[in-house]
Amino acid sequence: MKQRLKEQTKSVYIPPQAKAGFHATDSARYQLMERVQDFLGSDQKVFLLLGDSGAGKSTFNRALECNLWRAYKKGGLIPLFINLPAIENPDHDMISKQLRKLEFTESQIGELKIRRKFILICDAYDESQQTHNLYTTNRLNQPGEWEAKMVISCRSEHLGANYRDWFQPGDRDRSSEFAQYQEAVILPFTTEQVNSYINQYVAIHQPLWEAKEYKLALDLVPSLKELVKNPFLMSLSLDVLPRMVDSRHNFMTTRITKVSLYDHFVEHWLEQGKKRLGEKELNPQARAAFESLSDEGFTENGIDFLKKLAVAIYKEQDGRPVVEYSRYKDETSWKAEFFSREDKQLLREACPIVRNGNQYSFIHRSLLEYGLARGIFDPQDSKKRTAPQPTLNRRGSANSVLSFEMHAVVVKPQIMDQEPDIESPLAWRSFVNESSLLEFLAERVHQGPIFKQQLLDYIEYSKRDKKWRRAAANAITILVRSGIQFNSADLRGIQIPGADISYGMFDFAQLQGADLRKVNLRNVSLRQAGLSGAQMTSVQFGGLPYLTEDGSARSCAYSPGGVSFAVGLDHGDISVYTTLDWDKKWTLRGHSGLVTSVVYSPDGDRIASASVDATIRLWDVRTGVCCQVFIHDKGVESVVYSPLGDSIASCSADKTIQIWEVETGDCRHTLSGHTDTVSEIVYSPKGDHIASGGYDQKVRLWDVAAGVCHHTLGGHRMEVTSIVFSPRGDIVASGSRDETLRIWDVATGTCLHLLMGHMYDVSCIVFSPTGSQIASASKDGTVKLWDVDAGICCHTFTDHGRPVYGVAYSPLGDRIAASSDDTVILWDAQTRECSHTFSKPLAQMSMFLFSPIGDHVASATETGAVCLWDLGPRSTRNIATEHSGSVLSVKCSPKGHQVVSCSKDKAIRLWDMETGSCRQILADQSSHVYDVSYSPRGNLIASCHSDKTVRLWDIESGACLHILAGHTGAVQNVAFSPRGRQVASSSKDKTIRLWDVETGSWCRTLTGHSDRVYMVLYSPGGDQIASVSDDKTIRLWNMATEASQHTLVGHTERISSAVYSPNESQIASGSWDKEVRLWDTNTGMCLHVLSGHNDKVRYVAYSPQGDQVASASWDCTIRLWDVETAECRHTLAEHSYPVELVAFCPRGRLLASGSMNGEARLWDVKTGECRQAFEYDDQNSTTSYGIPLHRMSWVLSGDGDSLVTCGEDGSVRMWQVIDDEDTYRLHMRWRSTNGQLALEGVCTQDVQGLSEFNKQLLELPGIVDEHVHHLEEIEKSIRPQSQIEDFNLLR
């Protein structure tokens, strides 16, 4: 222990921060060490510490051990650190096994067991391959067994849905046992923690760089900022950054990924190991082996050793990271290959492997996973296999006698002529739950096409032979994790049992006959996919169905541990569900009228229910039998359990409160005093007081033991609608229909505060878990937060806009939820930002509540449905790629490999053109982004912002190269000059500014407009700039003189669009005055006025040949005009809503248009015929009105024309134009995802093995296809003719 204490002083340690659970917000952070110390001083038994790989769990556990030993006093609790993977079968006699490893004798162990208590610090539960509850199986704190508290750590991704059963003492539905457990999730480093880590690292290790150089690198390499929030990746980064980046000049153009960090770290470690061995005195045999390894390439041999060892650990011991090696016992085992030979011993010494006695392990679990990932696919190996060979011409030369150069060979992935590698780890083990490994492999997919094609081959071969199904399941899991989309893919008959394709995109995919057993389909997008005949036993959609009842649901409750759920109905029945699968366990019958209230006992064994039939009933949850019946004279409004569970209290229309003994059924007290119906009742936290209120406008405080009223609290002028005690029980708050809240002192009965501000009835009030705030909901459509001590309103939420009937804090207090008739909205309690909005049209919600652990929200409705909403996954994986706000601009890169979009959500996203994966989100999202533009070479992006700036971004690294400041109003448009040396920006300040791209310096300001300038564009040759303003003019600027050349005057209303002709001799403009004008750019004269539209012209575009102009109008038409004759060639009049957009494809054959209702159409330019119509709609929408398109952008790719669209719903979509025998149609290649389950139009005919639970989910409104004929028409237009017959069979 002394050695550990000494080592800690020489290592970098930053005290971690944590939050109280997966569903707590990151803003609710606290110091982890302080919380653990509080746990050790409490009566709780188990503290579960969770976090991602590299989050610092083991480091914290070691620091905790050191702190406890420093504070240790004789006779106190003994800290015992247990590395679980190093203990054989830790589920039994774990403490004794660890003490034996520490060389304690059996007699000493026996003495410790009898006389001492322990603090067990159990590290790496996930690495021990455990699924046992170690607290329970080791019988801790049982008579005659070890007495101990347990701090146990586990990776977040290792956990299952009911993971608490692995750690929690006793029955989690018994509140007394549930309270013995606590958990925390380690949070990523803050900026302050990162800087502190750097300072400590530099002081201890004295590296090549100084602290300021590291901090500069973090500031200038955006991809690095996120990586170093992980402590282990932070340590890797500081070790290898000086070798990855040569100078500060390269910082801004450097992109660093997690896998590249590991690549460099391992190479650096091996090089250092080689240096140590070279300086070490070796025996002759070892020296010869070392020289041989060096001649062959020491680093390459080291990487090969690391890969093979990692693969062997997974193959031979199922990934358990600790290898025990005995020279004599293991002489003939697989271990001898790595630990006996002289050359292997040298490589082992040089690798990042540590030894503890006869036990060997990688210095961090993630390095084992990195080695395995590199064993599955090593880009260096693929480079060797695909290295180009010279073609020998005359005299043995590739080209001539003197030339031996090899010319680059482009390797195009193709379906393999022979079967894939059956020896690959992907073929003999499932890795779908190995999150860290999948992350490495997903990054490898983007490093080149070879690995991607290998994975696709596994999937393809699974159609033929089931021996490939494990490899195929791994392969599709990796591809989906990397962002590859499978929209419209032919996946018929694939065998991928157990795969994790959660959050994948499979719209229109053909999955008929596929083996999808046990596949994780959580939040997958399967719009109009074909699943007929698929095997779907035990699939997981992750969504929750509505619980459909045959009566109005007026009350509901979770059991204390959340394992069951009760619903009270208007006809008197009570439905009880198990929350694991939401199967109905019981229907409790006995009441003859509306059930007004249901509540579980604190131990979860019983349910108390109240009804208008004047009775209260007690039910046994295990048997469904009614145990007791209590009777009032009139209908019972509410029933509550005492905190100890020995009694219940009920209030009634008979103006009384009654307190009942649970076991005997005797009425302990009848509390009289109210002069009208008593509708509200609540116990104080200690159970010594009851507060009641109702129609008589009074609140009464009752002494439970004596059965007398201590205080009658008067002041409300109308009915009391809600009463609640503070968590400490010293104050009580009441809300009323008189639009006010009152806060009362329990001891004195005085009114501490009168809270005024609502404009209509206060319907519900609730204290925050800390008691410092009250949230109130009102029929005025608002939710207000009140400071309890000051008695003032802190914040008002106005998001609902309709009467709000319920409000609740999450169990951790980090979220606030409120419900109106059909919508539940959740806010972050600290930032006050909206995080979720759930709705069910016409639901008429009667009440709602959080689950006990805060992962779900349930709402009872008067329409007979109970709505269940999942608050999201535990994973820290970034799932949603869709913008959270309307997309304002989308552009394709000049090279055709990338798309950029910007949105009202202040984000700029870069999309891979082929796969649709979001490759980067550009940082510094502090203001709205109105427009983005690519540089001509495609290496830079310019963005314009509401904060009056323009930003220049490096695409490769994501770094912001320059912030161009100078405008005095929001910048609304930005454009690069054709040569890319200059950027022009237009602003609300009525000016255009020109900027130097290389230096970021201001060049000139162009003035002359009398109103805001919202559009700026360079002529194709770059000799001229056109600017469009709200002053109804276009100005042309000569770039040679930077002076105003012409002012184009003629439009009488706002100019909505302007564009240069391809030969830059003309400009076309469209206006709200219903006209299109063609202007001569040399003279500034108006050449033609194109009249014919009956409403505003919204958009104009030139054909690529420049012979036609297309105009889109709010008169629901598009017109094609002949530029030379000014005649209208075609009027395209099939839109039924105003047309907003129009765009020619690069070849000029097709025209795309988009209307205000989200309908897009594809037109044949030559004939004027509509080739295809499709809805750009939010599939979850319940309205008939679609999602408006905001922008369209065509790109000419190697496989034809592609169209990128974006819309009001925040999505970006890529469409491929298919030329099928002179018939053009659009095929959706990919779309951004919002990370939500989408099953609209999915065909499940003859699906095998689908559970009742999932059948309910698929039957939700909006999921089942109710518009078959419409969908058939869509399918016919987007599928090849050969597939139409098959599609009809699916329907």
Side-chain angles (χ1 to χ4, degrees), residues 894 933-942 952-953 961-962 964 975-984 995-1000 1003 1018-1023 1039:
S933 180
Y934 274 102
S935 65
R937 289 197 298 147
N939 62 322
L940 300 175
I941 286 173
L952 297 182
W953 307 87
L961 303 178
H962 301 294
L964 314 180
F976 275 94
S977 65
R979 295 181 181 178
R981 297 174 183 172
Q982 196 177 68
V983 164
W995 313 86
D996 184 276
V997 169
E998 185 174 353
T999 65
C1003 300
Y1018 279 91
S1019 64
D1023 299 328
M1039 294 311 298

Side-chain angles (χ1 to χ4, degrees), residues 879-1099:
I879 304 300
T881 61
E882 205 159 86
H883 286 286
S884 59
S886 174
V887 183
L888 300 178
S889 181
V890 61
K891 302 283 175 62
C892 298
S893 68
K895 297 178 181 178
H897 70 291
Q898 195 179 67
V899 173
V900 63
S901 61
C902 66
S903 164
K904 287 182 179 178
D905 65 5
K906 306 178 184 179
I908 301 169
R909 291 178 178 264
L910 299 179
W911 312 83
D912 184 276
M913 182 78 79
E914 180 184 357
T915 67
S917 59
C918 181
R919 302 308 304 274
Q920 281 200 72
I921 301 176
L922 300 185
D924 196 12
Q925 301 157 21
S926 58
S927 58
H928 293 291
V929 190
Y930 291 128
D931 191 28
V932 286
S933 180
Y934 274 102
S935 65
R937 289 197 298 147
N939 62 322
L940 300 175
I941 286 173
S943 59
C944 56
H945 297 254
S946 61
D947 64 0
K948 309 172 188 178
T949 67
V950 174
R951 287 172 167 81
L952 297 182
W953 307 87
D954 180 82
I955 288 178
E956 181 63 27
S957 67
C960 181
L961 303 178
H962 301 294
I963 298 178
L964 314 180
H967 280 294
T968 58
V971 186
Q972 297 196 296
N973 195 223
V974 64
F976 275 94
S977 65
R979 295 181 181 178
R981 297 174 183 172
Q982 196 177 68
V983 164
S985 58
S986 63
S987 168
K988 283 186 176 181
D989 65 8
K990 310 175 187 178
T991 70
I992 302 99
R993 283 182 174 252
L994 307 181
W995 313 86
D996 184 276
V997 169
E998 185 174 353
T999 65
S1001 59
W1002 166 79
C1003 300
R1004 185 178 178 107
T1005 301
L1006 308 180
T1007 60
H1009 284 292
S1010 59
D1011 208 332
R1012 69 169 180 140
V1013 186
Y1014 50 84
M1015 187 182 302
V1016 62
L1017 49 159
Y1018 279 91
S1019 64
D1023 299 328
Q1024 193 178 71
I1025 282 180
S1027 58
V1028 184
S1029 169
D1030 265 345
D1031 63 10
K1032 305 173 189 176
T1033 70
I1034 301 172
R1035 283 182 176 260
L1036 304 183
W1037 310 84
N1038 186 299
M1039 294 311 298
T1041 62
E1042 296 182 344
S1044 179
Q1045 189 174 358
H1046 302 291
T1047 300
L1048 312 183
V1049 180
H1051 284 296
T1052 58
E1053 298 288 344
R1054 187 177 190 268
I1055 301 171
S1056 52
S1057 179
V1059 61
Y1060 273 98
S1061 63
N1063 64 6
E1064 70 183 67
S1065 64
Q1066 290 182 358
I1067 283 180
S1069 61
S1071 168
W1072 289 14
D1073 63 9
K1074 309 176 187 179
E1075 294 179 345
V1076 176
R1077 288 177 177 260
L1078 304 184
W1079 310 85
D1080 187 296
T1081 55
N1082 290 321
T1083 65
M1085 299 293 294
C1086 181
L1087 301 174
H1088 298 291
V1089 177
L1090 311 180
S1091 301
H1093 283 295
N1094 298 318
D1095 208 332
K1096 299 173 183 176
V1097 177
R1098 293 288 293 161
Y1099 210 85

Side-chain angles (χ1 to χ4, degrees), residues 643-655:
L644 294 178
D646 58 341
S647 63
I648 61 172
S650 56
C651 61
S652 167
D654 65 11
K655 309 175 188 177

Side-chain angles (χ1 to χ4, degrees), residues 761-981:
D761 300 7
V762 176
S763 47
C764 182
I765 61 173
V766 62
F767 271 96
S768 65
T770 62
S772 61
Q773 282 187 345
I774 291 175
S776 61
S778 169
K779 291 183 180 180
D780 64 8
T782 69
V783 173
K784 290 181 178 286
L785 301 184
W786 308 86
D787 184 285
V788 172
D789 291 336
I792 59 174
C793 181
C794 318
H795 189 75
T796 301
F797 298 106
T798 59
D799 304 62
H800 276 285
R802 288 177 293 171
V804 185
Y805 297 106
V807 64
Y809 276 92
S810 64
L812 298 173
D814 58 326
R815 293 180 179 180
I816 301 167
S819 66
S820 60
D821 275 337
D822 58 6
T823 302
V824 175
I825 297 178
L826 276 75
W827 298 278
D828 184 296
Q830 184 163 338
T831 65
R832 281 114 186 229
E833 293 182 355
C834 176
S835 61
H836 294 77
T837 299
F838 303 113
S839 63
K840 177 172 171 50
L842 308 176
Q844 298 178 15
M845 296 180 192
S846 53
M847 72 169 296
F848 85 105
L849 67 163
F850 279 97
S851 64
I853 59 174
D855 57 344
H856 298 98
V857 170
S859 178
T861 74
E862 295 184 11
T863 56
V866 177
C867 303
L868 304 170
W869 287 296
D870 189 346
L871 297 187
R874 291 188 305 273
S875 171
T876 55
R877 172 179 160 203
N878 188 14
I879 304 300
T881 61
E882 205 159 86
H883 286 286
S884 59
S886 174
V887 183
L888 300 178
S889 181
V890 61
K891 302 283 175 62
C892 298
S893 68
K895 297 178 181 178
H897 70 291
Q898 195 179 67
V899 173
V900 63
S901 61
C902 66
S903 164
K904 287 182 179 178
D905 65 5
K906 306 178 184 179
I908 301 169
R909 291 178 178 264
L910 299 179
W911 312 83
D912 184 276
M913 182 78 79
E914 180 184 357
T915 67
S917 59
C918 181
R919 302 308 304 274
Q920 281 200 72
I921 301 176
L922 300 185
D924 196 12
Q925 301 157 21
S926 58
S927 58
H928 293 291
V929 190
Y930 291 128
D931 191 28
V932 286
S933 180
Y934 274 102
S935 65
R937 289 197 298 147
N939 62 322
L940 300 175
I941 286 173
S943 59
C944 56
H945 297 254
S946 61
D947 64 0
K948 309 172 188 178
T949 67
V950 174
R951 287 172 167 81
L952 297 182
W953 307 87
D954 180 82
I955 288 178
E956 181 63 27
S957 67
C960 181
L961 303 178
H962 301 294
I963 298 178
L964 314 180
H967 280 294
T968 58
V971 186
Q972 297 196 296
N973 195 223
V974 64
F976 275 94
S977 65
R979 295 181 181 178
R981 297 174 183 172

Side-chain angles (χ1 to χ4, degrees), residues 66-170:
C66 291
N67 285 0
L68 292 175
W69 276 115
R70 289 193 187 98
Y72 178 77
K73 294 181 181 179
K74 187 175 181 180
L77 275 66
I78 299 174
L80 183 63
F81 184 94
I82 303 176
N83 181 22
L84 292 175
I87 301 291
E88 186 175 358
N89 298 325
D91 54 312
H92 175 69
D93 206 21
M94 173 176 63
I95 299 176
S96 298
K97 290 175 181 177
Q98 177 64 20
L99 292 174
R100 291 187 192 106
K101 290 176 71 69
L102 298 174
E103 301 182 355
F104 281 77
T105 65
E106 292 303 317
S107 62
Q108 289 173 325
I109 293 173
E111 185 74 12
L112 288 170
K113 186 173 184 178
I114 295 171
R115 300 186 180 278
R116 303 303 300 273
K117 298 179 180 179
F118 284 78
I119 299 171
L120 304 182
I121 306 171
C122 301
D123 193 52
Y125 177 87
D126 53 291
E127 296 181 30
S128 67
Q129 310 290 311
Q130 287 292 312
T131 55
H132 296 99
N133 186 319
L134 299 185
Y135 183 93
T136 302
T137 59
N138 280 276
R139 294 181 54 79
L140 297 181
N141 299 309
Q142 298 297 312
E145 302 294 339
W146 294 94
E147 291 188 56
K149 285 176 171 285
M150 178 186 285
V151 177
I152 184 168
S153 64
C154 181
R155 280 194 193 187
S156 304
E157 59 262 31
H158 180 72
L159 304 178
N162 297 302
Y163 68 92
R164 289 181 175 84
D165 293 340
W166 300 348
F167 305 101
Q168 181 179 294

Side-chain angles (χ1 to χ4, degrees), residues 3 45 52 225 230 233 267 280 283 322 370 424 451 459 497 506 535 548 747 767 769 854 936 968 994 1079 1144 1152 1193:
Q3 180 63 26
K45 301 300 182 186
D52 293 337
K225 287 183 180 180
N230 178 288
L233 293 183
E267 290 174 14
K280 184 179 178 181
N283 62 46
V322 178
Y370 166 80
S424 168
F451 185 42
I459 298 170
F506 292 83
Q535 300 178 56
T548 304
F767 271 96
T968 58
L994 307 181
W1079 310 85
F1144 283 93
S1193 182

